[in-house]
């Protein structure tokens, strides 16, 4: 069996008894960075052997670990901090376990994305998690463009040396007045939360540079503003042009009127009246 063991993201007291017992009892611990994880094991006097499992060996090493588990070994997977499988190579090992028929179980615990979200003061019912934005320029631009219309609360990870660049890009696509909570060093002694706007965050960081690891919790776009933007885009068309768009697709006149009314945020009667004000020979669909 593979045990996905969540470990503290800062405060060592956040580790669960179940995780501690599992780390002590398994045959092997696969760690993203053994130099980092050895500090955790030493603190809790855990002597279980470790092996490295990281982004650059994840495919081949996963095959080796799966083979060990098929032979009856039990393995625990830990990441540098938090829950393995979230924004780390753990997902590859889990995938290979399922393909090989190896059982997988998760031992829940700390996760920076959820920790930041629930104390952000922003809506929590619906959210999207983007982890670290892609390094590839085109992929990054695509993701940022998708966020323009995102109505859910957005959660993003960022390192201090990239924070200003990321906030600058977010300002360009989301606007300087979009609310966000800038969470720093979660669960640690110097934990900070700053509920502000993107523009104010950039101004503040210009005074005091970024320090520590950050989670950005960003308010989603208002559904009403999205709806209004759509209505405004259709307002550029005359009612006749708007009708013709649907009629040319083979839609009958009654259904086209219904679609036009919905697009423009008015009643079907309003569209009908607008069309009646034209000469009959000019009515779309009467040609």
């Amino acid at each position: 069996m593979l045990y996905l063991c969540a470990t503290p993201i800062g405060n060592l007291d956040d580790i669960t008894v179940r995780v501690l017992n599992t780390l002590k009892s398994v045959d092997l611990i696969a760690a993203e960075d053994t130099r980092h994880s050895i500090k955790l094991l030493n603190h809790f006097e855990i002597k279980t052997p470790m092996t490295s499992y990281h982004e650059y060996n994840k495919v081949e090493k996963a095959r080796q670990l799966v083979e060990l588990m098929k032979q009856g070994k039990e393995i625990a997977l830990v990441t540098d901090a938090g829950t393995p499988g979230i924004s780390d190579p753990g997902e590859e090992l889990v995938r290979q376990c399922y393909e090989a028929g190896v059982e997988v179980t998760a031992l829940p615990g700390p996760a920076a994305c959820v920790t930041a979200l629930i104390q952000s003061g922003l809506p929590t019912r619906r959210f999207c998690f983007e982890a670290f934005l892609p390094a590839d320029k085109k992929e990054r631009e695509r993701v940022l463009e998708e966020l323009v219309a995102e109505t859910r609360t957005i959660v993003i990870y960022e390192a201090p040396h990239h924070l200003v660049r990321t906030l600058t890009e977010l300002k360009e696509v989301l606007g300087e007045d979009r609310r966000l909570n800038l969470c720093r060093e979660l669960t640690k002694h110097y934990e900070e939360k700053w509920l502000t706007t993107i523009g104010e965050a950039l101004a503040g960081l210009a005074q005091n540079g970024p320090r520590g690891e950050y989670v950005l919790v960003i308010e989603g776009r208002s559904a009403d503003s999205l709806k209004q933007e759509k209505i405004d885009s259709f307002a550029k068309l005359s009612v006749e042009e708007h009708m013709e768009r649907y009629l040319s697709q083979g839609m009958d006149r009654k259904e086209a009127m219904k679609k036009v009314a919905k697009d423009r945020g008015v009643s079907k009667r309003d569209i009908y009246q607008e069309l009646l004000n034209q000469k009959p020979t000019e009515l779309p669909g009467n040609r």
Side-chain angles (χ1 to χ4, degrees), residues 115-117 119-122 154 156-160 162-164 166-168 170 178-186 190-206 208-219:
T115 302
L117 175 68
Q119 61 182 327
S120 68
L122 297 174
I154 305 161
I156 294 174
Y157 289 163
E158 194 50 275
H162 292 312
L163 182 62
V164 171
T166 295
L167 284 172
T168 301
L170 290 169
R178 182 70 66 90
R179 289 202 303 163
L180 89 155
N181 197 316
L182 202 57
C183 302
R184 185 180 80 87
E185 297 290 84
L186 289 172
Y190 295 104
E191 173 181 294
E192 291 181 346
K193 283 87 61 182
W194 184 17
L195 184 57
T196 182
T197 65
I198 294 176
E200 288 176 350
L202 276 168
L205 289 169
N208 300 292
R211 291 170 295 171
E213 299 298 319
Y214 287 84
V215 182
L216 285 64
V217 185
I218 307 164
E219 187 173 41

Side-chain angles (χ1 to χ4, degrees), residues 8-252:
I9 58 176
N11 192 322
L12 291 177
D13 289 342
D14 289 336
I15 199 163
T16 69
V17 173
R18 185 182 174 203
V19 167
L20 286 175
N21 289 337
T22 298
L23 293 178
K24 291 174 182 177
S25 65
V26 293
D27 299 295
L28 183 66
I29 297 171
E32 186 176 10
D33 187 338
T34 55
R35 295 166 300 178
H36 180 88
S37 295
I38 192 63
K39 299 174 185 177
L40 177 74
L41 299 191
N42 287 341
H43 181 81
F44 290 106
E45 299 181 348
I46 297 171
K47 306 300 183 182
T48 307
M50 273 197 302
T51 187
S52 65
Y53 175 77
H54 49 72
E55 183 65 29
Y56 303 104
N57 72 353
K58 63 182 181 181
V59 176
E60 182 55 38
K61 192 59 174 283
R63 293 193 188 102
Q64 297 172 20
L65 295 174
V66 166
E67 195 57 39
L68 287 174
M69 286 182 280
K70 287 170 67 176
Q71 294 170 17
K73 301 293 184 182
E74 294 199 322
I75 295 177
L77 178 67
V78 297
T79 186
D80 284 350
T83 301
I86 297 180
S87 188
D88 84 342
E91 62 180 299
E92 173 65 23
L93 179 55
V94 173
R95 183 186 67 79
Q96 289 198 31
C97 281
Y98 274 92
E99 289 179 352
V102 172
E103 192 172 351
V104 178
T105 190
L107 283 60
C113 54
V114 175
T115 302
L117 175 68
I118 62 175
Q119 61 182 327
S120 68
L122 297 174
T124 60
R125 190 179 74 83
R126 299 172 65 247
F127 69 96
C128 69
F129 175 57
E130 286 294 339
F132 291 93
L133 293 178
D136 178 79
K137 184 178 179 181
K138 288 187 177 179
E139 179 68 7
R140 190 180 182 92
E141 289 175 352
R142 183 188 65 78
V143 171
L144 287 169
E145 185 61 32
E146 288 177 353
L147 295 181
V148 172
E150 181 57 70
T151 58
R152 297 170 295 177
T153 301
I154 305 161
V155 183
I156 294 174
Y157 289 163
E158 194 50 275
H161 52 289
H162 292 312
L163 182 62
V164 171
R165 172 199 172 191
T166 295
L167 284 172
T168 301
E169 292 172 331
L170 290 169
K171 177 183 174 181
E172 291 172 357
V173 296
L174 303 182
E176 65 178 0
D177 294 327
R178 182 70 66 90
R179 289 202 303 163
L180 89 155
N181 197 316
L182 202 57
C183 302
R184 185 180 80 87
E185 297 290 84
L186 289 172
T187 79
K188 299 177 183 177
H189 181 70
Y190 295 104
E191 173 181 294
E192 291 181 346
K193 283 87 61 182
W194 184 17
L195 184 57
T196 182
T197 65
I198 294 176
E200 288 176 350
L202 276 168
L205 289 169
Q207 300 292 323
N208 300 292
R211 291 170 295 171
E213 299 298 319
Y214 287 84
V215 182
L216 285 64
V217 185
I218 307 164
E219 187 173 41
R221 182 157 183 195
S222 161
D224 289 340
S225 70
L226 261 182
K227 181 179 179 181
Q228 188 59 50
E229 183 179 281
K230 184 177 180 182
I231 290 171
D232 292 345
S233 70
F234 284 118
K236 298 173 184 177
L237 297 173
S238 68
V239 172
E240 298 90 335
E241 291 170 332
H242 204 157
M243 281 287 292
E244 187 58 39
R245 174 178 291 190
Y246 290 119
L247 292 170
S248 65
Q249 297 173 12
M251 198 175 289
D252 64 48

